[in-house]
Amino acid sequence: MRRFLAFLLFPVFAMAQQKPVKAVRQAGITVQVATIEEMELFNDSSVQLLITDPARGGLFHYSEDSLTDGGLRFAATGVGHGSWQRLYDQSVALNVKWFGAKGDGKFNDFQALQKAINIAAAAQMPLLLPSGKYYIPASAALNLPSNTHIKGAGVTFSSIMTDSVFHNGAAALLKTTGDNIVLEDITFSGGRPKAVNSKSIREAGRYAILNISFDSKPSSNITIQRCHFMDAFGRGISYRAVNISIRDCSFKRIGRYDINFARLDGAICNFGRTGCEDVVIERNRFEFVGTHCVASFKTEGLKIRDNYLDQISGIGLANQQCSNVEVSGNTFNNTGDNGVDFQRCERIVINNNYFNNAGDKNAGDAGSAAAVFVGDDYGLAGSSSTIISNNFITGTFNYKNKNSKSAFQNCGFYIIDANHVKITNNIIRYIGAVPSDTSSIVLEDGNGIMIVNTKRGSGTDIVIEGNTLSHLKANGIYVNGQSRELKIKNNYIDKFGSNGILLSAIGTNLFSQVEGNTIVDGMNFFHHNVAADIYVEAANAWITNFNLSRNQLRNDSRGSYSSRNDTVFTTHGIYFNAQGFGKFNNLLVSDNQMNGHLIDEIGFSDNISEYSVTKENYFPLVSFKNNFSGSTDDQPDIIIPGLNQPVKPKIITESYGVEPPAYGNYSAGSTIKNIFPENDVYGWVAANSGFAASLKWKAGVHYTPGQTVYVNDQVFRCKIGGTSGKNAPAPQDALIADGQVKWQAMGNRVIFKKVLLREMR
């Protein structure tokens, strides 16, 4: 005969993490039994039953309703009809263990979990997942209907796990096509065995952890928070959704850790799916993810904030054709490709992020590998309306280090075919691949900020202002191709291997400005014949509608080479070069201060010329004025462009002196004003273009390097000092031997005409 204890009903607390039951059948007899099976055989329907099983227990009452579900309703077999129904607080949650889930990591909990999920979702109630490891076999996938809300006891206590084998019929551990989904405080494991270095390419376990309507219409109102996703060989979350939030989660060892980007592995991905809107990804942690950590496609309203990314084999944040995007407060460490990548996107804000070796190609050669990439790699369309501000970018490049390092920052910002871009107030340091190879420059390697335009005028309205760029393997700011309305203003550029600012292949109608920049201590790391603080290069084009003004360019000599390990310095402050031809017109170079450059403060290649309407009828609307050289200890001088070179374009200058110049290249029409005009001399005007020399060559005279002499109408500059021979030098391209002296031919001698004050009255 069954023994039982009968007693009057007092306030009773439900078992298994439930609050006290509400006032349902609060009067009568309560009988205590041990198990569900014992309750089902109980034959007295007039009492309430209290099951003491710690997992499935609780308080039940009899109902004439014969429906059963294995968790809330059980058959009243002993009574003969009806059911025993669980009494619980319907304002709290259901418990998955009520439905038979064990959570021991061995028992197949799939049926119990799925049943509990379905019933809780239908009742629009949360489903509790108490501490435990809930095992789902490889052939099964949990389906989450609309209104599913699963809440664990915390990621260290509640987990859903699976086998290490892959089953094609259940690629994802969980899937849904529903709306109003909430997952929180749970660990999800895809089952792939952990590699020794956590960088696995093995295809084992689940391909994905969670599939949200990826091959269906978009789901809506999805919240995933405080969850841990791990050990899937493809993706953590694949989604197609509207109003989805993923917060305070961690993703670890997701995807195949390589650079096979065609597979689009990653932690969170909607690539190839349209209709996604209002996506928030914030305060998550991503580690050892291949290939692209977060991949977004045609998403309207995307906010990626305050996340931490480390050891990503591909791109940190890959975005294609997205709009209204905010990327802020994130930390990027060691991404193999770009830290942030925006292809053909619009209305983007990238601010207050930290990039440490983002673009270090840690899984192989990933291409450009910049901290931030904006534009279009495929030549299909450009990007528009981007703000990049207040970011910190740092790598490990060091001029002294010749040894290979596994981590580095390949490039800072890479902007290609983009319009309306503002790059302001960023700090970019130690940029370039290691080892420090001085043999050649790779296009993207070692540039702080790169602007690339694949066709004329494809980049317009680009502002680069207020940035600090330091310790760069190649160039501080590099503009390749023709940008229109380009403004490079008020930047600080220090210690760069090639050029401070390189403007390459520019052309007509630039309407651009390089203004107010401070550029110091160029290293000429690659030992180029020309390395300038500002290098302007035309490719069969005009350099026109262009303003270079108010820049401070300094290349001071060091007291000791050994103290700084410097052996070569910047050759020019400003240098103009041409590939093919390059012509000046409507060019303004004014109010710059330059000092200490090895060859010339302002220099030109031989194929740079002024604009001419017809041959020998040049149109000199070019202004080089008020440019000064000299350090704090020197008397400042007005800079004569191309002063030290034999050939230069016709540039009319105005300077000061007490006599006609005895050195330098002057164009016809240039004036030297007399600083002591009381001798009735107003100044001197160059009657022709040529090089100045006041000494006539003589045989048997000792000459020192830098001295100039003239022979008839030709000028020669001493390159190697000594005593001259018997025969005067004659012009030739190579150095000219003359006794102990070696001369460089400087071209025609300029003749200065004296201008008197009385002639000006």
Side-chain angles (χ1 to χ4, degrees):
M1 182 177 185
R2 180 183 294 113
R3 297 181 178 181
F4 59 86
L5 175 65
F7 54 93
L8 293 175
L9 180 65
F10 289 92
V12 179
F13 291 87
M15 305 293 288
Q17 303 184 17
Q18 297 304 296
K19 290 185 176 180
V21 295
K22 289 187 174 180
V24 180
R25 294 178 62 107
Q26 292 188 8
I29 303 298
T30 297
V31 175
Q32 181 173 301
V33 296
T35 65
I36 294 291
E37 292 75 17
E38 196 172 335
M39 178 186 69
E40 289 178 321
L41 296 174
F42 198 83
N43 59 10
D44 186 352
S45 64
S46 65
V47 300
Q48 295 183 135
L49 297 180
L50 179 64
I51 298 178
T52 59
D53 181 346
R56 306 188 72 185
L59 192 63
F60 290 81
H61 73 92
Y62 176 78
S63 171
E64 296 291 336
D65 184 355
S66 295
L67 292 177
T68 62
D69 56 27
L72 303 180
R73 301 175 179 88
F74 295 88
T77 306
V79 177
H81 57 83
S83 62
W84 293 102
Q85 297 191 2
R86 187 182 296 272
L87 295 174
Y88 60 94
D89 188 345
Q90 297 185 19
S91 67
V92 184
L94 304 185
N95 190 316
V96 70
K97 288 195 173 182
W98 293 349
F99 297 84
K102 295 188 180 298
D104 61 3
K106 300 176 182 179
F107 181 77
N108 182 355
D109 285 324
F110 171 69
Q111 295 294 341
L113 276 169
Q114 188 64 69
K115 184 182 292 185
I117 289 168
N118 293 342
I119 291 173
Q124 298 189 32
M125 293 184 64
L127 176 65
L128 292 181
L129 206 66
S131 295
K133 297 179 179 179
Y134 298 88
Y135 166 68
I136 308 297
S139 59
L142 291 171
N143 182 59
L144 311 181
S146 292
N147 303 309
T148 292
H149 181 175
I150 307 177
K151 180 176 176 58
V155 293
T156 58
F157 302 105
S158 301
S159 64
I160 296 177
M161 54 179 290
T162 189
D163 297 312
S164 62
V165 297
F166 174 71
H167 191 284
N168 193 50
L173 185 62
L174 301 93
K175 60 183 180 179
T176 182
T177 57
D179 303 324
N180 307 314
I181 307 294
V182 179
L183 300 176
E184 52 187 351
D185 301 307
I186 308 169
T187 288
F188 301 96
S189 174
R192 180 175 63 174
K194 178 183 174 182
V196 174
N197 63 358
S198 294
K199 298 179 178 180
S200 177
I201 60 172
R202 184 176 175 183
E203 298 180 2
R206 300 295 175 124
Y207 170 76
I209 302 293
L210 174 60
N211 182 324
I212 304 173
S213 294
F214 199 68
D215 298 305
S216 182
K217 67 176 183 62
S219 293
S220 63
N221 303 323
I222 310 295
T223 300
I224 303 168
Q225 56 190 10
R226 300 184 303 278
C227 291
H228 182 32
F229 297 82
M230 57 189 271
D231 298 322
F233 74 83
R235 299 176 182 175
I237 299 174
S238 295
Y239 76 94
R240 187 179 189 184
V242 174
N243 191 18
I244 176 172
S245 299
I246 304 172
R247 295 187 173 99
D248 302 304
C249 296
S250 63
F251 296 79
K252 195 167 187 177
R253 300 185 299 273
I254 302 291
R256 287 155 284 195
Y257 206 94
D258 57 22
I259 55 171
N260 185 352
F261 296 164
R263 292 190 298 231
L264 289 173
D265 292 350
I268 301 172
C269 178
N270 78 333
F271 244 65
R273 301 301 183 266
T274 59
C276 295
E277 300 177 12
D278 300 326
V279 177
V280 177
I281 301 171
E282 61 183 356
R283 299 189 302 273
N284 302 288
R285 188 177 184 93
F286 304 90
E287 295 177 279
F288 301 103
V289 176
T291 51
H292 302 332
C293 186
V294 177
S296 305
F297 177 74
K298 291 188 176 180
T299 301
E300 172 73 22
L302 174 63
K303 293 179 174 59
I304 304 178
R305 302 181 295 212
D306 302 320
N307 300 283
Y308 178 90
L309 293 78
D310 191 12
Q311 300 297 331
I312 313 300
S313 75
I315 296 171
L317 307 179
N319 308 275
Q320 191 172 113
Q321 300 179 66
C322 299
S323 58
N324 297 337
V325 182
E326 175 193 348
V327 175
S328 64
N330 303 284
T331 296
F332 300 84
N333 292 324
N334 306 109
T335 62
D337 201 346
N338 303 320
V340 174
D341 185 293
F342 284 95
Q343 302 274 353
R344 306 189 296 282
C345 297
E346 295 185 340
R347 300 181 296 281
I348 309 160
V349 175
I350 306 168
N351 64 358
N352 301 316
N353 300 284
Y354 297 83
F355 297 87
N356 302 299
N357 296 320
D360 68 359
K361 305 183 182 181
N362 62 63
D365 189 355
S368 60
V372 175
F373 178 97
V374 175
D376 178 29
D377 256 343
Y378 309 102
L380 302 176
S383 290
S384 179
S385 305
T386 302
I387 296 174
I388 306 172
S389 65
N390 301 303
N391 299 283
F392 291 88
I393 297 93
T394 187
T396 55
F397 176 76
N398 187 316
Y399 293 105
K400 301 177 183 180
N401 192 338
K402 306 298 182 181
N403 298 319
S404 176
K405 286 191 175 183
S406 60
F408 54 85
Q409 181 65 64
N410 190 62
C411 178
F413 298 153
Y414 192 167
I415 314 298
I416 180 170
D417 293 341
N419 300 302
H420 314 301
V421 180
K422 315 301 178 189
I423 303 173
T424 60
N425 302 322
N426 302 281
I427 295 179
I428 304 174
R429 306 182 68 201
Y430 302 106
I431 304 301
V434 181
S436 303
D437 182 7
T438 61
S439 62
S440 63
I441 291 181
V442 178
L443 178 63
E444 300 91 353
D445 181 18
N447 295 300
I449 299 174
M450 285 187 64
I451 310 294
V452 174
N453 304 290
T454 58
K455 55 186 177 181
R456 179 174 294 180
S458 57
T460 61
D461 182 27
I462 298 174
V463 176
I464 304 172
E465 183 170 9
N467 303 283
T468 294
L469 304 104
S470 178
H471 293 85
L472 311 156
K473 184 177 180 181
N475 306 290
I477 299 171
Y478 176 24
V479 181
N480 182 279
Q482 184 190 121
S483 294
R484 301 176 187 265
E485 295 87 42
L486 172 69
K487 307 290 187 294
I488 302 177
K489 305 173 66 174
N490 303 325
N491 300 283
Y492 177 85
I493 305 174
D494 173 34
K495 298 179 183 65
F496 45 92
S498 188
N499 304 286
I501 298 174
L502 170 58
L503 307 174
S504 178
I506 65 172
T508 189
N509 297 322
L510 278 169
F511 298 105
S512 296
Q513 301 171 13
V514 177
E515 180 180 351
N517 301 283
T518 298
I519 306 176
V520 298
D521 293 347
M523 312 297 287
N524 199 355
F525 181 63
F526 297 93
H527 305 283
H528 290 161
N529 292 330
V530 175
D533 290 336
I534 300 176
Y535 189 112
V536 181
E537 181 176 72
N540 292 321
W542 288 264
I543 301 172
T544 182
N545 294 296
F546 189 50
N547 186 322
L548 278 164
S549 62
R550 299 192 308 105
N551 299 286
Q552 294 183 314
L553 315 174
R554 187 179 72 247
N555 189 59
D556 292 337
S557 299
R558 283 27 166 211
S560 168
Y561 285 154
S562 61
S563 65
R564 294 288 293 275
N565 216 29
D566 295 337
T567 57
V568 183
F569 305 117
T570 308
T571 61
H572 296 78
I574 300 173
Y575 188 79
F576 295 90
N577 185 40
Q579 297 291 337
F581 73 83
K583 295 183 181 295
F584 287 150
N585 187 32
N586 199 357
L587 171 68
L588 177 61
V589 181
S590 67
D591 302 302
N592 298 287
Q593 295 171 298
M594 290 170 262
N595 184 65
H597 300 91
L598 290 180
I599 296 177
D600 244 329
E601 302 298 348
I602 301 176
F604 312 90
S605 67
D606 291 348
N607 45 356
I608 285 284
S609 64
E610 67 287 337
Y611 176 70
S612 58
V613 179
T614 60
K615 187 176 181 180
E616 299 303 325
N617 182 17
Y618 70 92
F619 192 67
L621 281 187
V622 176
S623 178
F624 287 74
K625 66 178 183 179
N626 297 332
N627 298 294
F628 292 90
S629 68
S631 69
T632 55
D633 300 324
D634 301 327
Q635 178 177 325
D637 291 321
I638 291 179
I639 294 171
I640 305 300
L643 181 72
N644 297 311
Q645 58 187 85
V647 179
K648 75 175 187 181
K650 295 181 174 67
I651 298 170
I652 298 174
T653 58
E654 184 178 271
S655 56
Y656 297 85
V658 295
E659 60 184 4
Y663 181 88
N665 192 326
Y666 289 82
S667 297
S670 295
T671 62
I672 295 89
K673 292 183 179 180
N674 188 0
I675 60 176
F676 300 117
E678 60 268 18
N679 59 6
D680 197 37
V681 177
Y682 172 77
W684 300 268
V685 177
N688 64 308
S689 296
F691 211 91
S694 60
L695 298 176
K696 185 176 181 179
W697 177 88
K698 292 182 180 180
V701 175
H702 183 79
Y703 292 102
T704 59
Q707 279 188 294
T708 56
V709 297
Y710 65 89
V711 178
N712 299 322
D713 63 347
Q714 296 296 303
V715 175
F716 302 88
R717 178 170 60 191
C718 178
K719 296 293 288 183
I720 298 175
T723 302
S724 60
K726 296 180 180 180
N727 298 316
Q732 65 181 49
D733 292 337
L735 291 181
I736 306 152
D738 171 25
Q740 297 174 337
V741 183
K742 288 193 176 180
W743 301 98
Q744 178 187 9
M746 304 305 287
N748 291 332
R749 181 189 180 199
V750 61
I751 304 298
F752 291 97
K753 178 182 177 182
K754 183 187 296 183
V755 179
L756 302 177
L757 286 171
R758 70 173 73 98
E759 295 174 349
M760 303 187 65
R761 298 189 180 102

